[in-house]
Amino acid sequence: MTNVRYEEGPLESFGFTYPPHTEQFRKELRAWLAEHLSSEILGAAQCYGRDEDAFDIMRRWNAQMADARWAAVSWPADYGGRGAGVTEQLVYAEETTWARVPHPLNVIGINNIAPALMHYGSEQQKRDLLPRMLRADDIWCQGMSEPEAGSDLASLRTRAVADGGDFVVNGQKIWTSLGHRADWCQLYVRTDPDAPKHRSISCLIVDLSLPGVEARPLVTLNGDADFAEIFFTDVRVPASALLGSLNQGWQVATTTLSHERAGAARLYAEMQTRLTDLVTDLDAAGHPLDDPSTLRRLGELEMRINYLQTLCQRSISATAHGKDGFGTASLAKSVWAEIGQDVAALGYALLGDAGAEGRWAERRLTSRALSIAGGTTQINTNITARLLGLPRR
């Protein structure tokens, strides 16, 4: 197996100091990745949305990480994690991003669904579902967005009507990550049409093999099928699948009990690697790196990434000290999206389709989603404005 070497990132920056105990954690993680992260895995991560063999490679990689307890270090040890604190999570986010470790197939499950399961689920649900989620033995998706309810979850229309010991579900979800490959869905439905919209939503854990479920893949501009639309037609879901209390799905969706509290580190670490990629590809293509215009544009991007790093570390520091870093994190997400789009645009402008076998054309296409995925820029801007006492956009 050919192992991949990667560059070390800075251990301290902008006054942010890493506690001494985290460096042993960093060394252990680096050593494990140096031994196990292969070029085959990195290659599979680039095409698993359109290649079945690559998808299988990713499943095996997820299982390998889970077995070594590196798949979700923030999870409690009882569920396969390491119970990592905030600064260890920060180190993990930095190292795995700098090493270009692929996101887990169940990244939404691990970061968003699992914390809700840990908090609201029965012991049986936790024992049955979490280990298989961690290893990607089961693929999970999150049924939130609908054609008329994207960022505004409270406007969802998918209905679940109680009937004996079941809920009967009818409706549609869209832009569901891996929805056509998923075995399970954390599904948000309206269970009381007469109540205020935030108080009439429930959360169900749905087995997608049930009769009446149809998933159709959505092919994006780059040829990948990472998303799907899912239709529910008279799907009978057992009442035992309710996660949390009836009509309390909003609390499930907005729970703050996520064990992933330093994920913001991925934002700046990812942009650092992309800028490094751009410089490397420009050099390989013979583009003059001493060109004043190119240097200015690269320097501006580096400065903005440094600013993003400061924002992210302020948010993480607030969390580590028991304060609320949500507002700063929302601003950081918006900045990350803008930088990601600008790096992709510059890479494509300078290198076109030929740059590193076309990766800048790919990134130019996919970068448009950065200001939508994980919360739109408009929503995040409004969050920041509200916290600062400014008018909404």
Side-chain angles (χ1 to χ4, degrees), residues 305-388:
I305 293 170
N306 289 341
Y307 168 63
L308 174 61
Q309 180 172 0
T310 302
L311 273 178
C312 292
Q313 291 182 340
R314 285 186 64 184
S315 175
I316 295 165
S317 180
T319 302
H321 290 87
K323 299 179 181 179
D324 185 4
F326 183 63
T328 306
S330 294
L331 178 58
K333 197 276 175 183
S334 298
V335 173
W336 166 81
E338 293 171 359
I339 293 173
Q341 290 173 349
D342 289 348
V343 171
L346 179 59
Y348 184 71
L350 295 177
L351 294 165
D353 293 335
E357 299 180 352
R359 73 168 153 191
W360 291 103
E362 172 99 358
R363 288 181 176 177
R364 183 75 173 109
L365 287 173
T366 57
S367 70
R368 306 317 304 164
L370 299 182
S371 53
I372 300 173
T376 67
T377 294
Q378 291 83 357
I379 293 294
N380 280 298
T381 300
N382 281 335
I383 291 171
T384 303
R386 186 174 69 250
L387 292 172
L388 293 175

Side-chain angles (χ1 to χ4, degrees), residues 160-338:
V161 178
D163 182 24
D166 297 333
F167 289 102
V168 179
V169 179
N170 284 279
Q172 177 189 359
K173 299 294 178 176
I174 197 167
W175 298 117
T176 304
S177 297
L178 296 183
H180 56 302
R181 294 184 180 272
D183 304 286
W184 291 89
C185 179
Q186 184 195 36
L187 183 67
Y188 289 89
V189 294
R190 192 164 303 286
T191 43
D192 185 353
D194 299 322
K197 63 181 185 178
H198 290 83
R199 300 178 186 175
S200 60
I201 296 172
S202 297
C203 180
L204 300 175
I205 299 299
V206 178
D207 179 350
L208 293 182
S209 67
L210 291 172
V213 178
E214 180 187 2
R216 302 175 188 171
L218 295 168
V219 180
T220 53
L221 284 172
N222 65 345
D224 281 344
D226 293 331
F227 304 98
E229 53 183 346
I230 307 180
F231 298 86
F232 300 86
T233 306
D234 295 330
V235 180
R236 300 192 72 89
V237 179
S240 60
L242 184 67
L243 187 63
S245 301
L246 185 67
N247 297 325
Q248 298 299 309
W250 189 259
Q251 283 82 349
V252 177
T254 58
T255 181
T256 58
L257 297 177
S258 174
H259 299 285
E260 179 68 35
R261 294 177 291 164
R266 296 188 186 281
L267 302 182
Y268 65 80
E270 182 182 36
M271 290 303 109
Q272 288 169 345
T273 61
R274 292 200 177 194
L275 187 59
T276 298
D277 286 345
L278 179 52
V279 173
T280 301
D281 291 349
L282 288 171
D283 189 41
H287 189 94
L289 292 176
D290 57 353
D291 173 69
S293 176
T294 301
L295 280 176
R296 177 182 60 79
R297 296 171 78 178
L298 292 173
E300 288 174 351
L301 286 169
E302 183 175 22
M303 180 185 67
R304 291 166 63 192
I305 293 170
N306 289 341
Y307 168 63
L308 174 61
Q309 180 172 0
T310 302
L311 273 178
C312 292
Q313 291 182 340
R314 285 186 64 184
S315 175
I316 295 165
S317 180
T319 302
H321 290 87
K323 299 179 181 179
D324 185 4
F326 183 63
T328 306
S330 294
L331 178 58
K333 197 276 175 183
S334 298
V335 173
W336 166 81
E338 293 171 359

